[in-house]
């Protein structure tokens, strides 16, 4: 079932049927991040001007994303990163969200996964997918309920918050914790 859903979600024709405008080259949001790394290496500030981006869009994410310049990631890696990110995103959805006991709930979650909003996020390689994966991993680690895994869970939430502000509110889980 997961394999079938995965194939459907990466199918460009299915995306068009859902009303998602497929962009070329693919993974446009992710490409803004990867092309910015190329621009930095060429001496440009991609937040001012990003001539390496196929659409010449300025970089509009938090500067922490620009630390990827220290890696060997380039715009040429966008497709592989995008497919990998999408696959990990779906694995997290299956691991976290899809109930395993109730068939009707499982069918409802599959319909949510196939919704145009989710499909658009995957097609664009939106950075919210990275945040979702980090928060999902945080939840999985948190469920192990030991002092070390709890600390790791909060570190993952903090990392997600640095990449995008709204995960900071996931730290509200601290409110239910006993003082240690």
């Amino acid at each position: 079932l997961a394999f079938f859903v995965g194939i459907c979600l990466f199918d460009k024709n299915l995306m068009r049927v859902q009303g998602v405008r497929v962009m070329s080259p693919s993974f446009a949001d992710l490409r803004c991040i990867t092309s910015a790394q190329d621009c930095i290496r060429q001496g440009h500030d991609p937040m001012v001007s990003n001539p390496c981006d196929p659409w010449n869009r300025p970089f509009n994410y938090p500067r922490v994303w620009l630390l990827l310049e220290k890696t060997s990631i380039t715009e040429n890696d966008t497709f592989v990163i995008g497919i990998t990110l999408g696959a990990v995103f779906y694995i997290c959805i299956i691991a976290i969200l899809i109930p395993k006991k109730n068939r009707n709930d499982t069918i409802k979650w599959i319909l949510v996964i196939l919704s145009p909003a989710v499909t658009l996020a995957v097609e664009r390689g939106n950075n919210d997918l990275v945040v979702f994966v980090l928060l999902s991993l945080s939840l999985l680690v948190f469920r192990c309920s030991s002092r070390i895994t709890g600390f790791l869970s909060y570190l993952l939430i903090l990392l997600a918050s640095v990449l995008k502000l709204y995960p900071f509110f996931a730290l509200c889980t601290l409110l239910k914790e006993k003082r240690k």
Side-chain angles (χ1 to χ4, degrees), residues 4-5 15 23 42 47 108 158:
F4 172 74
V5 171
M15 289 179 187
M23 293 183 73
Q42 294 174 15
M47 293 187 109
K108 290 174 192 172
L158 184 61

PDB file of all heavy atoms in Angstrom, residues 4-5 15 23 42 47 108 158:
ATOM      1  N   PHE A   4       2.408   1.780  -3.414  1.00  0.00           N
ATOM      2  CA  PHE A   4       1.426   2.286  -4.372  1.00  0.00           C
ATOM      3  C   PHE A   4       1.165   3.773  -4.152  1.00  0.00           C
ATOM      4  O   PHE A   4       1.152   4.560  -5.095  1.00  0.00           O
ATOM      5  CB  PHE A   4       0.118   1.500  -4.249  1.00  0.00           C
ATOM      6  CG  PHE A   4      -1.001   2.081  -5.057  1.00  0.00           C
ATOM      7  CD1 PHE A   4      -1.021   1.955  -6.433  1.00  0.00           C
ATOM      8  CD2 PHE A   4      -2.031   2.775  -4.436  1.00  0.00           C
ATOM      9  CE1 PHE A   4      -2.047   2.510  -7.184  1.00  0.00           C
ATOM     10  CE2 PHE A   4      -3.053   3.334  -5.171  1.00  0.00           C
ATOM     11  CZ  PHE A   4      -3.062   3.187  -6.555  1.00  0.00           C
ATOM     12  N   VAL A   5       0.975   4.156  -2.893  1.00  0.00           N
ATOM     13  CA  VAL A   5       0.732   5.566  -2.578  1.00  0.00           C
ATOM     14  C   VAL A   5       1.937   6.405  -2.993  1.00  0.00           C
ATOM     15  O   VAL A   5       1.798   7.475  -3.585  1.00  0.00           O
ATOM     16  CB  VAL A   5       0.410   5.752  -1.075  1.00  0.00           C
ATOM     17  CG1 VAL A   5       0.381   7.216  -0.698  1.00  0.00           C
ATOM     18  CG2 VAL A   5      -0.923   5.096  -0.740  1.00  0.00           C
ATOM     19  N   MET A  15      -0.496  14.693 -10.377  1.00  0.00           N
ATOM     20  CA  MET A  15      -0.409  16.039  -9.806  1.00  0.00           C
ATOM     21  C   MET A  15      -1.219  17.022 -10.640  1.00  0.00           C
ATOM     22  O   MET A  15      -1.942  17.862 -10.104  1.00  0.00           O
ATOM     23  CB  MET A  15       1.045  16.495  -9.733  1.00  0.00           C
ATOM     24  CG  MET A  15       1.858  15.774  -8.703  1.00  0.00           C
ATOM     25  SD  MET A  15       3.561  16.374  -8.717  1.00  0.00           S
ATOM     26  CE  MET A  15       4.314  15.230  -7.581  1.00  0.00           C
ATOM     27  N   MET A  23       6.038  22.402 -11.970  1.00  0.00           N
ATOM     28  CA  MET A  23       7.054  23.338 -12.456  1.00  0.00           C
ATOM     29  C   MET A  23       8.239  22.574 -13.034  1.00  0.00           C
ATOM     30  O   MET A  23       8.519  21.452 -12.644  1.00  0.00           O
ATOM     31  CB  MET A  23       7.516  24.254 -11.326  1.00  0.00           C
ATOM     32  CG  MET A  23       6.431  25.202 -10.857  1.00  0.00           C
ATOM     33  SD  MET A  23       6.992  26.344  -9.582  1.00  0.00           S
ATOM     34  CE  MET A  23       8.000  27.457 -10.531  1.00  0.00           C
ATOM     35  N   GLN A  42      29.919  31.547  -5.665  1.00  0.00           N
ATOM     36  CA  GLN A  42      30.311  32.480  -6.724  1.00  0.00           C
ATOM     37  C   GLN A  42      30.468  33.903  -6.200  1.00  0.00           C
ATOM     38  O   GLN A  42      30.755  34.819  -6.970  1.00  0.00           O
ATOM     39  CB  GLN A  42      29.274  32.457  -7.852  1.00  0.00           C
ATOM     40  CG  GLN A  42      29.207  31.144  -8.593  1.00  0.00           C
ATOM     41  CD  GLN A  42      28.069  31.123  -9.608  1.00  0.00           C
ATOM     42  OE1 GLN A  42      27.498  32.167  -9.960  1.00  0.00           O
ATOM     43  NE2 GLN A  42      27.735  29.939 -10.093  1.00  0.00           N
ATOM     44  N   MET A  47      20.304  36.434  -0.859  1.00  0.00           N
ATOM     45  CA  MET A  47      19.153  37.147  -0.288  1.00  0.00           C
ATOM     46  C   MET A  47      18.939  38.476  -1.001  1.00  0.00           C
ATOM     47  O   MET A  47      17.843  39.031  -0.961  1.00  0.00           O
ATOM     48  CB  MET A  47      19.338  37.343   1.211  1.00  0.00           C
ATOM     49  CG  MET A  47      19.302  36.025   1.965  1.00  0.00           C
ATOM     50  SD  MET A  47      19.307  36.228   3.731  1.00  0.00           S
ATOM     51  CE  MET A  47      17.635  35.731   4.100  1.00  0.00           C
ATOM     52  N   LYS A 108      -8.994   7.583   5.357  1.00  0.00           N
ATOM     53  CA  LYS A 108      -9.085   9.053   5.449  1.00  0.00           C
ATOM     54  C   LYS A 108      -7.696   9.688   5.383  1.00  0.00           C
ATOM     55  O   LYS A 108      -7.506  10.697   4.708  1.00  0.00           O
ATOM     56  CB  LYS A 108      -9.795   9.466   6.737  1.00  0.00           C
ATOM     57  CG  LYS A 108     -11.261   9.157   6.758  1.00  0.00           C
ATOM     58  CD  LYS A 108     -11.857   9.467   8.116  1.00  0.00           C
ATOM     59  CE  LYS A 108     -13.249   8.895   8.237  1.00  0.00           C
ATOM     60  NZ  LYS A 108     -13.768   9.033   9.605  1.00  0.00           N
ATOM     61  N   LEU A 158      14.230  22.034  18.493  1.00  0.00           N
ATOM     62  CA  LEU A 158      15.008  23.270  18.409  1.00  0.00           C
ATOM     63  C   LEU A 158      15.590  23.452  17.007  1.00  0.00           C
ATOM     64  O   LEU A 158      15.531  24.547  16.438  1.00  0.00           O
ATOM     65  CB  LEU A 158      16.115  23.274  19.461  1.00  0.00           C
ATOM     66  CG  LEU A 158      16.946  24.549  19.543  1.00  0.00           C
ATOM     67  CD1 LEU A 158      16.077  25.737  19.905  1.00  0.00           C
ATOM     68  CD2 LEU A 158      18.061  24.377  20.567  1.00  0.00           C
TER      69      LEU A 158
END
